Amino acid sequence: MASTFVMYVTICLVFGFLSSPIAQAGDPDIITDFVIPANATLDGSSFTFTGTRNLYATEPPPTFTVTKIGMKEFPALNGQSVSMAVLDYPAGSVNPPHTHPRSAELLFVIEGSLDVGFIDTTNMLFTQTLQPGDLFIFPKGLVHFQYNKNTTELATAISAFGSANAGTVSVPMSVFTTGIDDAILAESFKTDVATIQKIKAGLAPNPKA
Ligand SMILES: *[C@@H]1O[C@H](CO)[C@@H](O)[C@H](O)[C@H]1NC(C)=O
Ligand SMILES: *[C@@H]1O[C@H](CO)[C@@H](O)[C@H](O)[C@H]1NC(C)=O
């Protein structure tokens, strides 16, 4: 009798776990080998991305720049649960606090030095200074940033994501450029409307807004 009950509880726990969000922490699985746009030629080129080939043929960008290689840019990533980004940080530039709702980020520093950090859900801040060859993991969904504090040298990094479409929510952009009422922001940030308007004026409009 007791052993039947234990088995029943075990089965409930196993099935409960399998159907819980924890068991589905990545992109949904596909039931074909790959997903290629219907009108595309199916050969090696379907699985090749050359959009980054000439990334360093010109001068490095003057402002912080992210070159995303997700399923929008590279359709064959659809269903493969991976994507990348190339990050260029001119001297003194910052990648402002942001999150990726659908993936952790594994950052690899190629050149220069980066001060990085993330904040967990208890508001604990974790920071590190990275040099070329170092890797840092930003856990999925947590707010994080990178800063090149060097005043003369650029920094370059490559990030890998465990989603074909990791998504980015920029904290300054989502909070201050999407039309949230000044009074609501002033109350939320315990400041006045003039200060909120000053912050809003300093941020370029969100191209997606
Ligand atoms: C396939 O169709 C899409 C959407 O209509 C278009 O953007 C793309 O250029 C097409 N690709 C080819 C290889 O014809
Ligand atoms: C900037 O980087 C260069 C090269 O690594 C280093 O020699 C210099 O001390 C750094 N400057 C600052 C302000 O960190």
Side-chain angles (χ1 to χ4, degrees):
M1 204 56 190
S3 70
T4 310
F5 179 71
V6 168
M7 190 180 281
Y8 174 75
V9 169
T10 306
I11 288 169
C12 286
L13 286 174
V14 166
F15 279 90
F17 177 76
L18 288 178
S19 58
S20 78
I22 301 166
Q24 300 165 5
D27 290 357
D29 260 340
I30 52 173
I31 51 169
T32 51
D33 292 350
F34 42 76
V35 179
I36 295 297
N39 60 346
T41 322
L42 183 57
D43 59 19
S45 69
S46 312
F47 305 94
T48 309
F49 182 74
T50 58
T52 39
R53 188 179 279 180
N54 296 316
L55 203 57
Y56 294 108
T58 53
E59 286 294 297
T63 54
F64 167 71
T65 303
V66 186
T67 305
K68 286 182 188 168
I69 308 116
M71 64 179 259
K72 182 163 165 268
E73 295 77 19
F74 187 7
L77 298 188
N78 186 7
Q80 304 301 332
S81 306
V82 291
S83 61
M84 291 186 83
V86 180
L87 305 129
D88 289 294
Y89 312 80
S93 67
V94 69
N95 182 3
H98 63 281
T99 74
H100 302 293
R102 290 180 287 277
S103 178
E105 172 174 0
L106 181 59
L107 178 139
F108 177 66
V109 179
I110 293 177
E111 192 178 2
S113 173
L114 285 177
D115 283 23
V116 303
F118 73 86
I119 303 101
D120 74 7
T121 56
T122 69
N123 281 337
M124 183 161 173
L125 172 67
F126 299 83
T127 61
Q128 192 57 266
T129 299
L130 305 174
Q131 61 181 39
D134 292 352
L135 289 123
F136 194 86
I137 178 79
F138 299 100
K140 181 175 178 174
L142 299 184
V143 174
H144 61 279
F145 58 85
Q146 299 107 28
Y147 176 50
N148 175 11
K149 69 170 177 277
N150 195 300
T151 50
T152 53
E153 305 292 322
L154 58 78
T156 308
I158 289 180
S159 280
F161 299 92
S163 166
N165 186 18
T168 299
V169 177
S170 161
V171 175
M173 299 304 265
S174 64
V175 175
F176 293 107
T177 72
T178 54
I180 302 176
D181 193 272
D182 289 351
I184 294 171
L185 292 177
E187 180 60 26
S188 303
F189 285 84
K190 306 296 174 215
T191 186
D192 50 50
V193 165
T195 304
I196 296 297
Q197 287 175 345
K198 195 174 170 190
I199 295 171
K200 283 186 172 179
L203 293 165
N206 184 350
K208 277 182 286 181

